[in-house]
Amino acid sequence: QNFRIASFNEELLATNENLNKVNDERKDLMAIVSHDLQAPLNRAFGLIQLFKLDEKNLSPSGLDLLKKLLNELEQQKALITDILRSENLELEYENDEKSIIDLSIVLPEILSGFYEVATKKGINLVDNTKETKAHIFGSRIGFQRIIDNLVSNAIKFSDAGTVVEIKVTCTEAVEINVKDQGQGFSESDFKNLFKKFHKLSSRPTAGEVSTGLGLAIVKTLVEKMDGKITLISEKGKGSEFILTFPKISAG
C-alpha cells in the first residue's frame, strides 16, 4: 500500500512539473505574440501611413491595394489584441477593483462612444437605459468590455437604416438587452457561439475587423460577475443578447 502511494505521489509530481512547463511555454508564447508580432505590425502601419500621405499621386488600383493592405493589417492587429486580452482575462479581472455599478450612469457613458460610428453606418443607436435605476456589482473595466463587445458587434453586423437598441429592466434581477436588426444567427452558430476563434455565419457589413474572440470574452466576464448571457435570434431576423445579473442595493 505504501509503495503504491509513493508511486502515485511521484506520478503526481511529474504531472505537475509537466503542467508548469506547459504554462511557462504558454507565457513565453504570449510574450512573443505581444512583442515580436506587434512590433513589425506597428512598423508596417507606419510605412503605409506614408503612402496615405501621398494618396493624390496614387492610381485607383494603387489606392485599392492600399485599402486592402490596411484591412489585412487591422485584422491581424485585432487578433493579437484579442488573444492577449483573452489570455490575461483571469488576472486582469481578479486585480481590478470591484464596486457597485450604477447602470443609469455607466451605460450612457459607454454608449456615448458608439454614436459616431453608428451614425457613419446609418444605424440608429437607441439608448433606453437612463431612466431605469439599477445597480450591479463587479469590475467596471470588465463590465465596459462586455458592453463594448456586444454593442460594437451589433453595429458591425447590421446594415444602414436599422436600429440597435439597449435597454435595462430591473425586477428580481437586473436584465440588460442589446437588440439589433442585423443578420442574426443560424442554428449551427448557436453550437459555437461562445467558443474561441470560431467565426460565425454573419459577416461585418462594412468590412470591419472580426476575430471570433469577442463573445468568448463576454461570456467569461459575465460569469465572473455572477451573471448569465442568453441569445434570442433567427437567421436574417436580427438578434437580442440578454445579460442577467444579481440586483444590488445602492445603499
Side-chain angles (χ1 to χ4, degrees), residues 200-217:
L200 306 175
S201 61
S202 297
R203 292 290 176 265
T205 56
E208 297 100 328
V209 174
S210 177
T211 65
L213 264 171
L215 288 178
I217 290 173

Side-chain angles (χ1 to χ4, degrees), residues 61-237:
S61 61
L63 278 172
D64 183 59
L65 180 61
L66 186 65
K67 288 178 182 177
K68 288 178 179 177
L69 283 171
L70 276 171
N71 183 260
E72 288 296 323
L73 287 173
E74 285 169 359
Q75 290 274 359
Q76 294 304 312
K77 194 169 184 179
L79 180 59
I80 290 170
T81 299
D82 278 353
I83 288 172
L84 293 173
R85 282 178 175 175
S86 178
E87 285 296 316
N88 294 327
L89 205 56
E90 301 279 339
L91 185 60
E92 182 182 278
Y93 187 87
E94 295 306 322
N95 289 342
D96 189 42
E97 182 181 352
K98 313 304 183 295
S99 61
I100 294 175
I101 301 171
D102 185 340
L103 298 184
S104 66
I105 296 174
V106 173
L107 277 172
E109 287 178 358
I110 296 172
L111 296 176
S112 66
F114 287 98
Y115 287 109
E116 184 177 353
V117 66
T119 300
K120 283 182 178 178
K121 284 195 72 173
I123 293 169
N124 184 19
L125 180 61
V126 178
D127 177 6
N128 286 325
T129 68
K130 298 176 185 177
E131 302 302 320
T132 304
K133 298 297 179 183
H135 301 80
I136 62 175
F137 185 81
S139 159
R140 168 74 181 265
I141 293 174
F143 180 71
Q144 177 162 348
R145 186 170 294 173
I146 291 167
I147 302 302
D148 278 348
N149 271 292
L150 292 180
V151 175
S152 64
N153 278 353
I155 295 171
K156 189 183 297 181
F157 295 99
S158 294
D159 290 307
T162 60
V163 175
V164 172
E165 179 188 8
I166 300 88
K167 67 177 182 178
V168 177
T169 55
C170 183
T171 52
E172 295 300 314
V174 175
E175 188 174 286
I176 303 169
N177 301 65
V178 180
K179 186 176 183 179
D180 65 58
Q181 298 171 333
Q183 300 167 55
F185 294 85
S186 66
E187 288 186 16
S188 61
D189 285 337
F190 275 82
K191 300 173 185 176
N192 299 313
L193 197 59
F194 300 111
K195 293 180 180 178
K196 292 181 179 181
F197 304 111
H198 277 270
K199 291 192 177 183
L200 306 175
S201 61
S202 297
R203 292 290 176 265
T205 56
E208 297 100 328
V209 174
S210 177
T211 65
L213 264 171
L215 288 178
I217 290 173
V218 166
K219 187 173 187 293
T220 299
L221 289 170
V222 168
E223 290 176 348
K224 283 188 170 296
M225 293 177 63
D226 296 323
K228 67 176 183 177
I229 180 169
T230 54
L231 170 65
I232 300 173
S233 181
E234 287 184 52
K235 193 63 181 172
K237 296 184 178 180

Side-chain angles (χ1 to χ4, degrees), residues 17-29:
E17 285 180 7
N18 288 332
L19 287 173
N20 287 332
K21 286 180 181 178
V22 170
N23 194 42
D24 289 340
E25 288 174 359
R26 183 179 61 81
K27 288 178 180 178
D28 290 341
L29 178 60

